[in-house]
């Protein structure tokens, strides 16, 4: 854990947010050595932060002790170079348990995922996240998606809650997000509140989110092709529309269309891609399943096309 507040470290970043997969060995147990190698490679490649044991990291499949060990491994491997944020979810009591384990493991913050199964009203959601934020000293980002979708008024209340520093949007309603941003801006003038584009392949909607002032985003691609993810990030920052549009048209859109062919591909396809890149992180745990061979072949082709674009658009002097 680092001494600087998480909010300050995430306000101005120089790269994508890295969501590593969780590695499993041949016997199905967590492989911490391979996980550390995965984290180290991401940090060395330029990740702005490591979000361990979140959606891509199969939080849903980890026992509490496994969760603690994986978060601790991420903290040890990053050694304070970038912040480590850990997932926390399920009902309030279990979410608090995971939050305390993350704090014990040295995490810098929490990504608070939706409550398990139930569809709650706004008052109940607010009480849930307030209790979670109060349970530890860790700064908390609330994840909006599925059964945890908020009104602008609720997000204003969340932003006023001690310990809650931001909202990650995995719902994708830009009209709602614009109203949320406006409501917080007017309801808490002068206060900083962070927003993240948290859609499964956030690069595809990066331009749209930037239009409402949301520049932070999670990058699943960074887990397996940091060179492509960083090239896109830098092109977006520099206003290089040619490279941005080329990658959107010939890499990110085909990737999203492939992801739509299977249930759970936001996780299992990413993990398959990490293996393709040479790191044996093992398969996904049930109830997720592995993509069939024909989809893996498509994935190989899409990654190759992405790298071909990087070569095509690489400055002449760098060739």
């Amino acid at each position: 854990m680092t001494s600087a507040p998480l909010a300050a470290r995430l306000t101005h970043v120089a790269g994508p947010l890295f969501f590593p997969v969780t590695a499993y060995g041949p016997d199905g147990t967590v492989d911490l050595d391979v996980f550390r190698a995965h984290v180290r490679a991401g940090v060395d490649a330029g990740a702005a932060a490591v979000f361990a044991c979140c959606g891509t990291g199969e939080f849903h499949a980890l026992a509490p002790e496994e969760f603690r060990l994986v978060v601790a491994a991420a903290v040890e491997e990053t050694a304070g170079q970038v912040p480590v944020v850990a997932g926390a979810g399920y009902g309030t009591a279990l979410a608090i348990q995971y939050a305390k384990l993350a704090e014990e493991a040295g995490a810098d913050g929490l990504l608070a995922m939706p409550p398990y199964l139930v569809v709650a009203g706004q008052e109940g959601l607010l009480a849930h996240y307030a209790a979670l934020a109060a349970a530890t000293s860790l700064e908390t980002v609330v994840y909006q998606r599925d059964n945890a979708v908020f009104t602008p008024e609720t997000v204003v209340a969340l932003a006023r809650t001690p310990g809650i520093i931001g909202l990650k949007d995995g719902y994708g309603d830009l009209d709602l997000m614009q109203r949320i941003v406006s409501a917080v801006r007017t309801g808490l003038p002068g206060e900083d509140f962070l927003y993240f584009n948290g859609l499964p392949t956030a690069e595809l909607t990066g331009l749209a989110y930037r239009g409402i002032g949301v520049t932070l985003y999670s990058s699943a691609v960074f887990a397996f092709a940091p060179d492509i993810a960083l090239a896109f990030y830098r092109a977006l920052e520099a206003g290089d529309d040619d490279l941005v549009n080329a990658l959107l048209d010939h890499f990110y859109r085909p990737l999203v269309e492939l992801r739509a062919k299977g249930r759970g591909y936001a996780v299992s396809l990413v993990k398959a891609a990490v293996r393709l890149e040479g790191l044996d992180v093992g398969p996904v745990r049930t109830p997720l399943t592995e993509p069939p061979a024909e989809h893996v072949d498509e994935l190989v082709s899409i990654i190759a096309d992405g790298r071909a674009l990087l070569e095509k658009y690489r400055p002449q002097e760098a060739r």
Side-chain angles (χ1 to χ4, degrees):
M1 182 175 178
T2 54
S3 57
L6 178 64
R9 300 187 78 194
L10 291 180
T11 298
H12 301 290
V13 300
L17 307 177
F18 175 31
F19 285 66
V21 301
T22 298
Y24 306 123
D27 62 355
T29 60
V30 170
D31 190 327
L32 293 176
D33 290 337
V34 172
F35 176 75
R36 285 191 181 96
H38 184 40
V39 170
R40 172 48 48 194
V43 172
D44 289 346
V50 173
F51 283 67
C53 302
C54 296
T56 308
E58 296 180 83
F59 170 79
H60 70 277
L62 296 173
E65 180 59 16
E66 292 177 319
F67 169 88
R68 186 187 66 80
L69 290 172
V70 172
V71 174
V75 171
E76 291 165 7
E77 199 58 46
T78 58
Q81 288 179 260
V82 298
V84 174
V85 179
Y90 302 120
T92 306
L94 269 178
I96 288 172
Q97 180 182 343
Y98 277 96
K100 290 181 176 179
L101 289 172
E103 186 174 43
E104 290 171 11
D108 296 286
L110 298 171
L111 177 63
M113 290 180 282
Y116 172 71
L117 195 60
V118 296
V119 178
Q122 296 293 297
E123 183 180 355
L125 289 170
L126 180 58
H128 169 77
Y129 292 109
L132 178 58
T136 73
S137 64
L138 300 180
E139 292 178 317
T140 299
V141 175
V142 175
Y143 196 178
Q144 169 168 265
R145 58 175 294 173
D146 300 325
N147 59 328
V149 177
F150 309 107
T151 65
E153 294 76 18
T154 298
V155 179
V156 170
L158 288 170
R160 287 181 174 141
T161 302
I164 295 179
I165 64 167
L167 179 75
K168 179 184 178 186
D169 180 49
Y171 187 57
D173 183 336
L174 285 172
D175 175 87
L176 174 60
M177 277 303 295
Q178 178 63 84
R179 288 186 288 114
I180 285 171
V181 171
S182 176
V184 173
R185 186 168 56 230
T186 56
L188 288 84
E191 294 291 323
D192 291 326
F193 193 65
L194 300 178
Y195 300 97
F196 305 77
N197 175 357
L199 291 173
T201 305
E203 287 91 343
L204 196 67
T205 54
L207 289 169
Y209 273 82
R210 279 178 174 253
I212 59 171
V214 179
T215 59
L216 292 167
Y217 65 88
S218 55
S219 176
V221 170
F222 190 90
F224 63 86
D227 52 339
I228 298 175
L230 277 168
F232 181 87
Y233 178 89
R234 289 166 179 163
L236 198 61
E237 288 286 303
D240 184 350
D241 293 343
D242 288 342
L243 180 53
V244 165
N245 289 331
L247 286 170
L248 287 174
D249 293 345
H250 303 293
F251 174 75
Y252 284 105
R253 179 171 58 83
L255 181 64
V256 168
E257 289 170 350
L258 175 59
R259 191 191 70 217
K261 292 182 179 181
R263 295 277 190 177
Y265 272 18
V267 179
S268 60
L269 206 64
V270 172
K271 208 162 193 183
V274 175
R275 295 195 301 270
L276 286 172
E277 292 294 299
L279 188 64
D280 187 4
V281 291
V284 290
R285 282 180 171 175
T286 55
L288 297 180
T289 56
E290 291 297 311
E294 60 267 27
H295 289 173
V296 175
D297 289 343
E298 285 187 55
L299 182 59
V300 170
S301 178
I302 290 168
I303 295 171
D305 288 346
R307 293 210 165 107
L309 286 170
L310 298 192
E311 182 64 25
K312 177 180 178 181
Y313 284 87
R314 191 155 55 104
Q316 185 68 36
E317 62 271 16
R319 297 185 184 183

